[in-house]
Amino acid sequence: VSADSSCKKVTYPERNICAFEGSSVKFSCVYESWRTTPSVHWARSKSGHFQKVYSWHNRVQINTGRKESTLKITDLRESDSAKYHCQQSSRSSTWTSRFPGTTLTVRGSEEAQQLLVFLVLTPVFSGMLKSEVSSPSAGSVSMFTDPDLQVQVFMSPTGPKLVCHSRCLQDRFPVWFVWYENNQPVPGETSASYSRSVGPESSYSCGYLQHRSASVYAPTNASVTMSPPGGAVQNGSVTLTCQSDANPAAKYAWFRGNQGKPVREDGRLFFISLQASDCGEYFCTAQNQLGTKTSKRVSVELLYGPKSCSVSASPSAEVEQNSSVTLSCSSDANPAATYSWSKDSQSLRGGQHLQIIVQPEDRGFYSCNAANELGSVNSPARFLDVQCRCPLIWKVHKLL
């Protein structure tokens, strides 16, 4: 993007171009401008250093219109390899390495000639390629590196179709390709188009000579991470991120519960101000042209401190000596609260339940505290009355 106030945006239709020495290449930049005839110039960069490209150079032609400028270079040389940028002229405009551009890679004519001779004179190409790709010998022909070799995936009525593509080879050489399924050569597949059916359980790549493309494959997994984990307080923010390993890169969609329609189609799902109505189970799908994977469900919850706290006694708060009684503390909190007890303001052990074999000294007022990282609350005190279990003779004496 240019810093010039007269230019809003600059885009490049092609970001990478590969060509051979001695050939010609033309690329362009498209811009939005308020000027009728903008003043545009081109520069090339290597390692962050910029050098202006002049149209009067005998191998360079620059044509500038209102919305597009093209740069054509003839009789290419390896030294022409660089990143090329265009920009409108302005006193405030400066070149930086952050600017986008078109990367040109020029391969040597000697290497290109080696490739042409090698392909024409090799009637059976796939066997040679298999041996050189798996373990190149020290005496093998040193060929150029093809940075643009890739498997392109296209959708058709019968399913995905694969094409082995490279700008360095396009319309130039009668290449025999080798196709790989799960890293194993596929016999009989030597054309640029893969003729067999393509399944989501396999990976596919192609190659020629010593060159091998990256593999394309359906998403192998789909996982969700939540930040912060679990959820957030009311009006807080939560971000769900869907991740997958896939090539071509996967497209993501988010679903809630059992709803069939996605709530969002993006790699992330944002809750800027979380409400109770947002809470529930969510999952994502990762999909490319080769297949789909579905993540496990995650639960987005509204977090809050303990809202109330109470003590209950079972079987009763009036018990006889040597009997068993269980005091229980309950609270509404998320995440769940931890509990601690006190008797007559003296601290006891923790835990949600307090079981006692009562003695006369256990008589008193009991209360509990419920706490989580968002707050704490104390219960009202509950009186535990211990009834003395006296001998019969003492009872008769008391009656008299």
Side-chain angles (χ1 to χ4, degrees):
V1 178
S2 173
D4 190 346
S5 61
S6 65
C7 178
K8 294 187 291 185
K9 183 172 63 174
V10 176
T11 57
Y12 298 83
E14 291 186 295
R15 298 299 297 272
N16 293 280
I17 295 178
C18 184
F20 291 109
E21 192 175 37
S23 63
S24 300
V25 68
K26 182 170 70 173
F27 41 88
S28 64
C29 68
V30 180
Y31 39 80
E32 298 177 10
S33 176
W34 292 299
R35 293 182 179 178
T36 304
T37 307
S39 176
V40 175
H41 61 270
W42 285 83
R44 49 178 282 171
S45 66
K46 282 188 177 181
S47 303
H49 299 288
F50 287 83
Q51 179 183 12
K52 194 169 183 178
V53 177
Y54 295 98
S55 59
W56 56 82
H57 193 284
N58 58 1
R59 296 189 300 113
V60 176
Q61 297 177 16
I62 297 177
N63 294 311
T64 299
R66 182 174 180 178
K67 294 186 177 181
E68 182 180 20
S69 180
T70 60
L71 172 64
K72 181 178 180 180
I73 306 175
T74 61
D75 190 19
L76 284 171
R77 303 167 186 174
E78 289 186 84
S79 59
D80 293 325
S81 297
K83 179 178 282 189
Y84 289 81
H85 317 254
C86 75
Q87 186 187 44
Q88 291 196 32
S89 297
S90 170
R91 293 180 180 179
S92 61
S93 296
T94 56
W95 293 107
T96 73
S97 58
R98 298 190 303 271
F99 279 17
T102 298
T103 300
L104 172 63
T105 303
V106 180
R107 298 303 173 193
S109 58
E110 180 180 349
E111 294 173 328
Q113 184 63 29
Q114 288 176 347
L115 173 62
L116 179 59
V117 172
F118 198 93
L119 292 177
V120 171
L121 297 181
T122 306
V124 181
F125 175 72
S126 59
M128 181 281 302
L129 180 58
K130 177 182 177 182
S131 63
E132 290 204 359
V133 170
S134 59
S135 57
S137 63
S140 61
V141 178
S142 175
M143 307 302 291
F144 62 84
T145 300
D146 188 342
D148 195 54
L149 184 63
Q150 59 183 296
V151 175
Q152 296 180 335
V153 184
F154 301 94
M155 294 305 297
S156 73
T158 58
K161 297 296 182 183
L162 308 180
V163 174
C164 195
H165 173 79
S166 171
R167 289 187 180 93
C168 279
L169 293 174
Q170 190 174 15
D171 300 326
R172 295 184 185 276
F173 302 113
V175 176
W176 287 276
F177 291 96
V178 171
W179 283 92
Y180 298 84
E181 182 175 353
N182 296 328
N183 291 319
Q184 296 300 314
V186 181
E189 291 293 331
T190 59
S191 69
S193 298
Y194 189 72
S195 63
R196 304 192 181 195
S197 61
V198 177
E201 68 284 350
S202 297
S203 64
Y204 303 87
S205 61
C206 67
Y208 68 93
L209 295 182
Q210 295 175 342
H211 312 295
R212 179 87 169 265
S213 73
S215 294
V216 295
Y217 47 92
T220 58
N221 59 6
S223 61
V224 176
T225 56
M226 185 187 309
S227 179
V233 298
Q234 187 167 356
N235 299 322
S237 63
V238 175
T239 301
L240 302 182
T241 303
C242 189
Q243 296 176 310
S244 176
D245 179 20
N247 187 31
K251 293 183 179 180
Y252 301 102
W254 290 95
F255 298 84
R256 179 177 181 178
N258 295 320
Q259 297 178 7
K261 185 178 180 180
V263 296
R264 182 176 174 83
E265 294 182 350
D266 189 48
R268 292 185 177 182
L269 180 61
F270 299 98
F271 300 92
I272 304 301
S273 180
L274 188 68
Q275 304 297 318
S277 58
D278 298 320
C279 296
E281 288 189 330
Y282 292 83
F283 66 94
C284 71
T285 59
Q287 182 179 30
N288 65 9
Q289 299 95 316
L290 300 173
T292 304
K293 283 291 185 180
T294 301
S295 75
K296 294 181 179 179
R297 295 171 180 249
V298 297
S299 181
V300 177
E301 299 182 357
L302 191 66
L303 307 182
Y304 50 90
K307 294 182 177 180
S308 61
C309 188
S310 61
V311 175
S312 61
S314 178
S316 170
E318 295 182 358
V319 291
E320 292 185 345
Q321 181 181 351
N322 296 324
S323 297
S324 174
V325 64
T326 299
L327 302 180
S328 297
C329 189
S330 60
S331 175
D332 178 19
N334 191 21
T338 57
Y339 300 95
S340 59
W341 291 89
S342 64
K343 172 183 177 289
D344 298 329
S345 301
Q346 299 296 315
S347 296
L348 302 175
R349 63 180 176 84
Q352 187 174 6
H353 305 285
L354 189 62
Q355 190 171 23
I356 307 171
I357 305 299
V358 295
Q359 300 299 325
E361 60 268 22
D362 293 321
R363 186 173 184 269
F365 288 92
Y366 290 79
S367 63
C368 71
N369 173 271
N372 63 15
E373 59 264 32
L374 300 174
S376 65
V377 64
N378 292 316
S379 73
R382 182 72 182 267
F383 183 69
L384 180 65
D385 189 12
V386 179
Q387 304 293 320
C388 181
R389 191 179 280 180
C390 302
L392 179 60
I393 190 171
W394 183 86
K395 291 183 177 180
V396 172
H397 176 75
K398 186 176 180 181
L399 290 174
L400 295 175

